[in-house]
């Protein structure tokens, strides 16, 4: 499937219908000001003026009676209207008859009588009018009395792509239909504040693209893509390592053109709006902060985490502090791993500072439990839905970890026609698909929420989004399996926030897993069944002491397994750790509640019932203590530890690792859980940080024992180019990985590169799915 650049039909009738409630006077005034020859600047001014007014009472009431009015015949033959008596009694002046049994009246105390003419003076405020309406509603024949208000056109930008007056399309997904974003009603409440800053941690920015030019903080941001090794900047693609220029030099990878992904994401969240050009971003006034952390073929955890910490105002070694900290961080990136300790640590650190993380759920049409960092705790994970109100199953991930969804297909984004480097004359717009852009819409929405309440934290944001969400359509897949908290309705979300009508403690995902999880005992073996290919079963385990918690499956079909802690962070996942049909998940845990999630391999043709067994255990078996001395290395080097021989185990145990790789008995490097026994030799490999004086810590667990391997970068090592590493496979590993002088074991190279590439698996190519 190729990019969809054609214009889609645009039904303006939907917009017209939404404005039928406007008063005749308001419409007449608007039409008088907007002749066909009005210039775009004048239209912008008119729109801003009319929409800036709030609904105000006219001083009148609308009354609806239960029954039609029946004339009363007096003995002398004259007619007297019973409702006239009611109006006289309640000091109401009749204004005009409406349809059916309705009429408009006005309190006489709000009238001045001059020369026999009644002139409204509106000396009753809304509260007084509401009190009067409630009193009238208690009358026997009155169905209701309601305050009449003057209404104004909903605020809509004059950007030509917003309503499809230009190619390649329109933004009808923002306003048209039950499952749209519902921006017009939201923009009537707020168009954002310059005090809000959205950090876009991505590929950088095209600073001269008209949709994002002058929308950023004064210094634009920072480039965190490190050198691959001393004097090797292949991944960075800009001739140097970290610097103060976050401009996107291109990220062409594996023959695909550069994505210009960071610019596209930024433009969706907060592109220029109501300027008569291009399209409308969600937040019209927030400023964008660009933290470039993805280069050619993605980026590393170390660079991305440093970019995040700097973006929100924390210090990063060797880099000036950020003078414009963000309170919303957009991460339209990810990869198939557990939520590592490094990721959860930085998320927890910044959650305590009220920073909101917005994560793309992923584009693999899989369970979002498998996509990290979307599967971490305390994040807003965003999936994509269709205009029919169900998950966009051709690409969007779904499941327990999805907080909210919004539209993710045919999204207009700012882009560039350059293949490998930006084309100075190639800035343009195109349509894209993916949860990357769904996440950008939600980031802009949260920024609008912050303009109303700057102190809003992650739990409050989650509660507001889910309380105001439109439920998924009945009869769709989302009724059969969990897609998230519903479809975001931005206008309703801002109303819920304004009225404080939400419970900040509510967590739909936690409610779901607690209601569906089957309690099981440790050291037990149970049998269970999965049904459809999207079915997921949950099991709850109470752990009372520290140890290695593990769960293993047995089945005739391939199953996926996940181990989650009580905050619903995925601490271990596995889809094939031993036999073809079994998984094993394991993690060193403290006392608390843990959950095991089981699902079958995603294949639409392998539907129907499947049986499996699940064995759980907690091991307190501890080997003799061992350690890996710390190592100093050049930036971005692959560093290996000393080898140790395991002893002291009473039985075979489980080996797990976080933020690195291991080699068991001189085997290939891997990071999957494995079985380890007495006499086995163990070696650790880690990638050093990209900056001088940075530190990478890799944690390995054998049974109930854990230890760490620390790699620190130093100026001396950077100058010498000596990484201090030696490959245990017998081949030479060059510190300049782009040099052709090195000889590589293909499998080793693949494993080492996986840590760099994985995090871009669904973000580096913002293309429609080919499913």
């Amino acid at each position: 499937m190729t990019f969809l650049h054609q214009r889609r039909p645009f039904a303006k009738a939907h917009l017209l219908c939404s404005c039928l409630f406007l008063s005749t006077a308001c419409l007449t005034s608007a039409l008088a000001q907007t002749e066909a020859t009005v210039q775009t600047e004048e239209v912008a001014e008119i729109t801003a003026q009319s929409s800036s007014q709030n609904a105000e009472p006219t001083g009148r009431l609308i009354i609806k009676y239960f029954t039609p009015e029946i004339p009363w015949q007096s003995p002398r033959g004259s007619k007297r209207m019973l409702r006239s008596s009611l109006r006289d009694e309640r000091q109401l002046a009749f204004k005009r008859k409406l349809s059916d049994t309705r009429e408009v009246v006005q309190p006489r105390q709000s009238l001045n009588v001059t020369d026999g003419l009644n002139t409204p003076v509106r000396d009753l405020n809304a509260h007084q009018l509401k009190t009067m309406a409630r009193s009238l509603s208690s009358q026997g024949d009155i169905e209701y009395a309601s305050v009449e208000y003057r209404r104004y056109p909903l605020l809509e930008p004059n950007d030509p792509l917003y309503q499809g007056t230009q190619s390649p399309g329109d933004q009808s997904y923002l306003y048209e239909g039950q499952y749209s974003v519902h921006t017009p009603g939201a923009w009537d409440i707020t168009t954002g504040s310059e005090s809000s800053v959205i950090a876009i941690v991505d590929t950088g920015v095209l600073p001269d693209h008209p949709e994002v030019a002058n929308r950023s903080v004064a210094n634009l941001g920072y480039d965190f893509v490190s050198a691959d090794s001393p004097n090797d900047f292949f991944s960075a693609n800009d001739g140097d390592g970290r610097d103060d220029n976050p401009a996107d030099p291109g990220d062409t990878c594996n023959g695909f053109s550069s994505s210009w992904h960071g610019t596209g994401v930024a433009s969706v969240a907060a592109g220029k709006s109501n300027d008569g050009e291009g399209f409308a971003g969600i937040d019209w006034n927030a400023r964008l902060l660009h933290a470039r952390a993805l280069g050619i073929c993605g980026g590393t955890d170390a660079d991305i985490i440093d970019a995040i910490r700097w973006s929100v105002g924390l210090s990063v070694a060797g880099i000036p502090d950020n003078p414009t900290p963000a309170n919303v961080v957009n991460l339209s990136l990810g990869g198939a791993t557990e939520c590592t300790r490094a990721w959860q640590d930085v998320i927890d650190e910044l959650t305590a500072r009220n920073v909101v993380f917005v994560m793309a759920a992923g584009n693999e049409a899989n369970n979002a439990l498998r996509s990290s960092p979307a599967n971490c705790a305390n994040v807003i994970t965003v999936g994509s839905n269709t205009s029919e109100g169900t998950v966009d199953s051709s690409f969007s991930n779904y499941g327990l970890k999805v907080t909210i969804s919004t539209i993710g297909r045919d999204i207009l984004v700012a882009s560039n026609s350059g293949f490998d480097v930006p084309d100075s004359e190639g800035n343009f717009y195109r349509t894209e698909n993916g949860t990357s852009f769904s996440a950008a819409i939600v980031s802009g929405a949260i920024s609008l929420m912050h303009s109303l309440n700057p102190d809003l934290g992650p739990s409050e944001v989650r509660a507001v989004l889910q309380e105001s969400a439109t439920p998924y359509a009945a009869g769709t897949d989302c009724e059969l399996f969990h897609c998230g908290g519903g479809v975001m309705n931005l206008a309703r979300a801002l109303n819920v926030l304004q009225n404080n009508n939400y419970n900040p403690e509510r967590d739909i995902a936690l409610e779901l897993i607690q209601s569906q999880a089957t309690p099981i005992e440790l050291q037990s073996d149970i049998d269970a069944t999965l049904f459809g290919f999207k079915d997921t079963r949950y099991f709850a385990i109470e752990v009372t002491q520290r140890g290695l918690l593990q769960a293993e499956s047995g089945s005739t079909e391939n199953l996926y397994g996940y181990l989650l802690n009580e905050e619903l962070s995925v601490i271990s996942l596995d889809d094939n750790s031993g036999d073809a049909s079994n998984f094993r998940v394991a993690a060193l845990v403290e006392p608390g509640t843990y959950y095991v999630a089981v699902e079958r391999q995603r294949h639409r043709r392998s539907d129907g019932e499947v049986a499996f067994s699940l064995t759980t255990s907690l091991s307190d078996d501890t080997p003799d203590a061992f350690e890996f001395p710390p190592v100093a290395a050049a930036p971005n080097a692959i560093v290996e530890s000393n080898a140790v021989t395991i002893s002291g185990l009473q039985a075979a145990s489980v080996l797990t690792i976080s933020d690195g790789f291991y080699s068991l008995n001189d085997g290939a490097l891997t990071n999957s859980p494995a079985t380890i026994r007495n006499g086995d030799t163990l070696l650790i490999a880690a990638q050093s940080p990209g900056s001088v004086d940075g530190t990478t810590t890799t944690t390995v667990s054998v049974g109930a024992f854990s230890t760490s391997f620390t790699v620190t970068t130093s100026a001396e090592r950077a100058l010498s180019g000596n990484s201090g590493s030696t490959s245990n496979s017998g081949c030479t590993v060059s510190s300049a990985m782009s040099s052709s002088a090195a000889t590589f074991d293909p499998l080793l190279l693949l494993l080492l590169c996986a840590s760099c590439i994985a995090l871009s698996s669904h973000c580096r190519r913002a293309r429609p799915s080919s499913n």
Side-chain angles (χ1 to χ4, degrees):
M1 186 179 293
T2 57
F3 289 115
L4 304 179
H5 294 282
Q6 296 81 13
R7 286 184 57 185
R8 292 181 293 150
F10 172 62
K12 292 188 177 179
H14 292 280
L15 279 181
L16 295 175
C17 290
S18 68
C19 296
L20 285 178
F21 65 89
L22 300 175
S23 67
T24 303
C26 180
L27 285 174
T28 302
S29 173
L31 289 171
Q33 296 180 72
T34 55
E35 298 178 358
T37 56
V38 175
Q39 299 299 314
T40 55
E41 292 82 1
E42 294 171 334
V43 174
E45 182 179 357
I46 293 167
T47 305
Q49 289 175 346
S50 64
S51 62
S52 65
Q53 305 177 64
N54 294 318
E56 58 182 17
T58 63
R60 297 186 291 264
L61 302 172
I62 297 174
I63 295 177
K64 182 182 181 183
Y65 298 93
F66 282 110
T67 60
E69 187 171 20
I70 302 175
W72 176 71
Q73 186 77 29
S74 71
R76 294 185 179 181
S78 62
K79 294 180 179 180
R80 184 181 180 189
M81 308 301 290
L82 296 179
R83 288 177 187 167
S84 175
S85 298
L86 173 65
R87 289 192 292 267
D88 288 344
E89 178 184 339
R90 304 304 293 264
Q91 292 295 300
L92 298 173
F94 175 79
K95 301 303 294 181
R96 66 188 181 94
K97 176 73 174 172
L98 297 177
S99 61
D100 196 19
T101 61
R102 300 170 181 85
E103 67 181 20
V104 179
V105 299
Q106 185 160 354
R108 293 187 183 279
Q109 64 195 90
S110 67
L111 298 175
N112 284 333
V113 180
T114 304
D115 297 330
L117 299 177
N118 291 334
T119 305
V121 295
R122 300 180 190 173
D123 58 354
L124 294 181
N125 60 33
H127 175 72
Q128 292 169 315
L129 289 166
K130 288 179 181 179
T131 301
M132 186 175 294
R134 283 194 296 269
S135 176
L136 285 169
S137 296
S138 65
Q139 299 291 318
D141 189 40
I142 295 180
E143 183 175 341
Y144 66 76
S146 178
V147 179
E148 181 192 43
Y149 291 91
R150 181 173 296 279
R151 310 284 179 174
Y152 299 93
L154 293 177
L155 180 56
E156 293 186 347
N158 60 18
D159 307 86
L161 289 175
Y162 178 76
Q163 294 187 6
T165 59
Q166 273 184 196
S167 182
D170 63 68
Q171 290 183 291
S172 57
Y173 50 83
L174 295 183
Y175 53 80
E176 192 172 90
Q178 180 180 2
Y179 300 102
S180 70
V181 181
H182 293 281
T183 50
W187 289 330
D188 269 7
I189 297 172
T190 179
T191 55
S193 167
E194 289 189 3
S195 63
S196 296
V197 177
I198 306 172
I200 308 296
V201 180
D202 215 292
T203 64
V205 64
L206 298 167
D208 60 345
H209 196 293
E211 201 60 49
V212 295
N214 304 318
R215 294 290 294 118
S216 304
V217 297
N219 62 338
L220 287 184
Y222 211 88
D223 177 6
F224 286 86
V225 182
S226 301
D228 298 318
S229 59
N231 301 315
D232 177 13
F233 308 106
F234 174 76
S235 296
N237 199 32
D238 60 357
D240 56 25
R242 295 184 173 186
D243 57 42
D244 60 1
N245 180 12
D248 189 345
D251 63 344
T252 178
C253 177
N254 297 329
F256 289 102
S257 66
S258 293
S259 66
W260 317 114
H261 192 261
T263 298
V265 168
S267 67
V268 171
K272 281 185 178 178
S273 302
N274 208 38
D275 63 343
E277 297 180 1
F279 61 77
I282 302 297
D283 190 314
W284 296 12
N285 293 297
R287 292 175 295 163
L288 293 162
L289 176 72
H290 308 280
R292 181 175 180 251
L294 304 179
I296 290 179
C297 296
T300 65
D301 280 357
D303 286 348
I304 297 168
I305 289 173
D306 272 357
I308 291 169
R309 298 185 82 257
W310 178 86
S311 295
V312 300
L314 300 181
S315 295
V316 174
I319 294 175
D321 288 348
N322 173 22
T324 52
N327 50 6
V328 179
V329 177
N330 186 96
L331 291 163
S332 291
L333 48 82
T337 71
E338 79 280 7
C339 176
T340 65
R341 295 183 184 182
W343 269 104
Q344 194 61 64
D345 180 60
V346 71
I347 291 169
D348 290 345
E349 179 183 17
L350 300 183
T351 296
R353 299 168 66 98
N354 263 5
V355 174
V356 181
F357 285 90
V358 183
M359 311 282 192
N363 298 334
E364 295 79 35
N366 285 328
N367 198 319
L369 287 169
R370 204 177 312 163
S371 183
S372 185
N375 60 6
C376 295
N378 301 317
V379 298
I380 305 298
T381 298
V382 184
S384 294
N385 61 265
T386 67
S387 58
E388 288 75 39
T390 189
V391 66
D392 200 324
S393 58
S394 64
F395 64 86
S396 179
N397 289 351
Y398 53 85
L400 179 75
K401 292 303 297 183
V402 176
T403 309
I404 200 78
S405 72
T406 191
I407 202 74
R409 181 172 292 278
D410 294 338
I411 306 302
L412 281 170
V413 304
S415 191
N416 189 274
S417 61
F419 184 88
D420 49 0
V421 298
D423 182 347
S424 60
E425 303 295 327
N427 288 327
F428 76 120
Y429 301 87
R430 64 182 174 192
T431 58
E432 297 278 32
N433 300 345
T435 57
S436 287
F437 307 105
S438 301
I441 290 173
V442 172
S443 289
I446 295 171
S447 181
L448 289 179
M449 293 164 64
H450 274 138
S451 72
L452 300 178
N453 181 357
D455 298 323
L456 212 59
S459 62
E460 291 90 353
V461 166
R462 181 184 63 233
V464 169
L465 289 174
Q466 294 186 335
E467 179 66 34
S468 59
T470 301
Y472 293 106
T476 64
D477 280 347
C478 290
E479 274 197 330
L480 305 177
F481 67 98
H482 190 66
C483 297
V487 177
M488 185 181 72
N489 183 320
L490 183 52
R492 193 183 300 150
L494 296 182
N495 273 292
V496 164
L497 177 59
Q498 279 189 316
N499 296 323
N500 200 32
N501 188 25
Y502 63 95
N503 176 10
E505 303 301 321
R506 188 181 184 196
D507 185 339
I508 289 177
L510 189 60
E511 292 175 6
L512 175 78
I513 200 169
Q514 288 176 341
S515 67
Q516 295 189 7
T518 301
I520 57 175
E521 299 292 331
L522 283 168
Q523 319 299 342
S524 65
D525 190 342
I526 66 166
D527 294 320
T529 303
L530 282 167
F531 296 96
F533 74 95
K534 294 175 180 175
D535 190 21
T536 303
R537 291 290 304 276
Y538 303 104
F539 303 89
I541 306 171
E542 293 297 328
V543 176
T544 58
Q545 64 185 48
R546 187 174 187 270
L548 186 78
L549 176 62
Q550 52 188 322
E552 298 182 64
S553 71
S555 174
T556 58
E557 294 192 28
N558 289 343
L559 301 179
Y560 292 151
Y562 311 89
L563 183 61
L564 296 82
N565 63 18
E566 56 190 354
E567 291 187 310
L568 304 189
S569 178
V570 177
I571 56 178
S572 179
L573 60 86
D574 187 21
D575 61 357
N576 185 10
S577 64
D579 296 337
S581 301
N582 298 334
F583 68 77
R584 174 169 49 223
V585 288
L588 189 66
V589 300
E590 301 293 335
T593 302
Y594 296 86
Y595 301 96
V596 177
V598 182
E599 62 174 348
R600 66 192 303 175
Q601 185 182 42
R602 287 291 175 261
H603 195 294
R604 295 177 183 274
R605 295 179 181 176
S606 61
D607 213 342
E609 191 172 303
V610 57
F612 67 94
S613 63
L614 185 67
T615 303
T616 58
S617 63
L618 183 71
S619 171
D620 60 359
D621 191 20
T622 304
D624 296 333
F626 57 89
E627 63 180 8
F628 300 104
V631 172
N636 285 313
I638 302 300
V639 183
E640 294 182 354
S641 71
N642 60 302
V644 299
T645 300
I646 303 300
S647 62
L649 284 175
Q650 301 302 311
S653 193
V654 173
L655 165 66
T656 61
I657 195 164
S658 178
D659 304 319
F661 300 89
Y662 68 85
S663 169
L664 192 61
N665 299 323
D666 292 331
L669 289 171
T670 181
N671 60 3
S672 297
T675 299
I676 190 168
R677 297 172 173 82
N678 278 338
D680 287 346
T681 59
L682 178 64
L683 174 146
I684 306 302
Q687 183 177 13
S688 63
S691 60
V692 174
D693 297 326
T695 299
T696 295
T697 301
T698 298
T699 302
V700 63
S701 298
V702 173
F705 174 78
S706 292
T707 190
S708 297
F709 174 49
T710 302
V711 179
T712 303
T713 55
S714 67
E716 179 183 351
R717 291 286 186 176
L719 290 172
S720 68
N722 182 2
S723 67
S725 70
T726 304
S727 168
N728 77 330
S729 64
C731 66
T732 302
V733 179
S734 169
S735 61
M737 294 186 69
S738 65
S739 300
S740 59
T743 304
F744 296 102
D745 178 334
L747 179 59
L748 175 62
L749 179 60
L750 178 62
L751 289 167
L752 297 182
C753 290
S755 64
C756 303
I757 296 174
L759 277 170
S760 66
S761 63
H762 72 262
C763 74
R764 67 172 184 258
R765 292 277 68 76
R767 291 181 179 271
S769 172
S770 59
N771 290 23

